[in-house]
Amino acid sequence: MDKLKDKVAIVTGASKGIGAAIARQLAADGAKVVINYGSSKRGADNVVADIEAAGGSALAVGADVTQKAEVESLIRAAIENYGRLDIVVNNAGIYQFARIEDTTETLYRKQFDINVLGPMLVSAAAAPHLGAGASIINISSNVTRIHPAESAIYTGTKGAIDAITVVLSREFGPRGIRVNAVNPGLIETEGTHTAGVIGSDFQAWNEDQTPLGRIGQVSDIAPIVSYLASDEARWVTGEIILASGGMR
Ligand code: NAP
């Protein structure tokens, strides 16, 4: 497959989970990929090794997406190593559910910093390097449609991302740059295992409410991102694409 041939991508939070699958897919479709990680260098190195073993090209770069200087060096790494930047996938994110009485300013700031400030810093730093045909893809969530109880902060962050996606599609549109969001339903990842979601009543409720009758896997999401990054999606921008087996 070479639909992303000659394109260079950055995927934030690509050391594991949905981000790692997206990075592998973009590389399989021909892109050179910068694998961003926060703390899991080993995870990022494994993704790079898998991509290289499959004949692709990738580079692991550590950067906390909440830190402007680190984000700028992440973007610089793509330009210095690969000479251009065409695809930005804002995937790094965290989720911590709590009843409103139990929410704290710390929980609020951490989730809004990583899930909202992060994509804004990355998009801003990438902006001067993106040209016509480039694409930003934000990984949001179907929580912005199903509004689960005890998720005020997390759902708030993803609601902000949906809105920011449409705003940025207007800002970048005149330059021929597209901005879209992909909103997964519950996906089995390292993160959802660690959070205790996999195997919980919440998983059973998701399966019950999902027309396709199961929760998602990372392989359900990655091809949608690759499509949006490709020229096949050249007329698609400002869209919030629900990828949840029909759960809405
Ligand atoms: P995950 O398995 O926990 O992986 C999260 C990734 O984000 C890791 O690579 C982590 O890097 C990175 N990250 C976290 N904080 C970071 C920071 N400050 N700077 C840079 N990277 C950071 O998560 P996931 O389940 O794959 O979720 C990925 C995205 O999909 C998130 O935006 C999430 O909200 C969204 N989503 C997930 C689901 C789901 O059910 N899994 C559903 C809808 C939407 P390190 O480990 O290297 O620190």
Side-chain angles (χ1 to χ4, degrees):
M1 290 274 284
D2 61 357
K3 71 180 177 191
L4 302 180
K5 190 172 176 296
D6 299 329
K7 292 187 188 279
V8 174
I10 291 178
V11 183
T12 67
S15 58
K16 57 169 77 91
I18 295 171
I22 292 169
R24 287 189 173 97
Q25 180 79 55
L26 298 183
D29 289 340
K32 300 179 180 71
V33 187
V34 175
I35 311 293
N36 163 246
Y37 63 93
S39 55
S40 312
K41 182 176 187 309
R42 183 180 296 179
D45 286 342
N46 286 342
V47 176
V48 170
D50 288 350
I51 289 173
E52 288 178 345
S57 183
L59 173 75
V61 179
D64 180 341
V65 295
T66 71
Q67 301 301 313
K68 189 165 184 250
E70 294 186 33
V71 166
E72 286 169 351
S73 70
L74 170 66
I75 303 294
R76 236 183 354 260
I79 302 300
E80 285 174 5
N81 283 279
Y82 294 131
R84 55 185 294 139
L85 182 59
D86 307 278
I87 302 163
V88 176
V89 183
N90 284 309
N91 165 81
I94 57 166
Y95 28 83
Q96 283 173 278
F97 285 25
R99 294 186 315 156
I100 193 70
E101 304 93 299
D102 300 327
T103 57
T104 62
E105 288 176 42
T106 306
L107 265 183
Y108 172 89
R109 294 216 164 84
K110 199 171 164 203
Q111 291 183 80
F112 267 88
D113 275 1
I114 297 175
N115 296 3
V116 183
L117 177 62
M120 291 189 70
L121 291 176
V122 172
S123 301
H129 304 284
L130 300 175
S135 171
I136 297 174
I137 297 136
N138 295 323
I139 305 303
S140 181
S141 170
N142 81 330
V143 294
T144 66
R145 302 287 182 86
I146 64 171
H147 310 107
E150 302 179 10
S151 76
I153 297 175
Y154 179 65
T155 299
T157 68
K158 295 304 189 180
I161 286 300
D162 286 1
I164 288 165
T165 297
V166 184
V167 170
L168 293 188
S169 74
R170 294 182 192 280
E171 277 186 43
F172 283 104
R175 292 169 51 195
I177 300 163
R178 298 174 297 103
V179 187
N180 292 289
V182 174
N183 295 40
L186 179 58
I187 304 289
E188 183 175 8
T189 63
E190 287 87 334
T192 49
H193 271 281
T194 303
V197 175
I198 300 304
S200 71
D201 290 348
F202 186 65
Q203 175 178 347
W205 176 72
N206 271 266
E207 286 164 350
D208 183 58
Q209 296 294 312
T210 300
L212 291 179
R214 62 173 175 84
I215 64 162
Q217 298 296 322
V218 295
S219 57
D220 294 319
I221 303 303
I224 304 168
V225 175
S226 183
Y227 160 72
L228 286 172
S230 77
D231 296 336
E232 290 173 0
R234 62 191 168 274
W235 199 231
V236 180
T237 195
E239 294 294 345
I240 312 298
I241 296 177
L242 204 53
S244 61
M247 187 183 186
R248 65 184 70 241

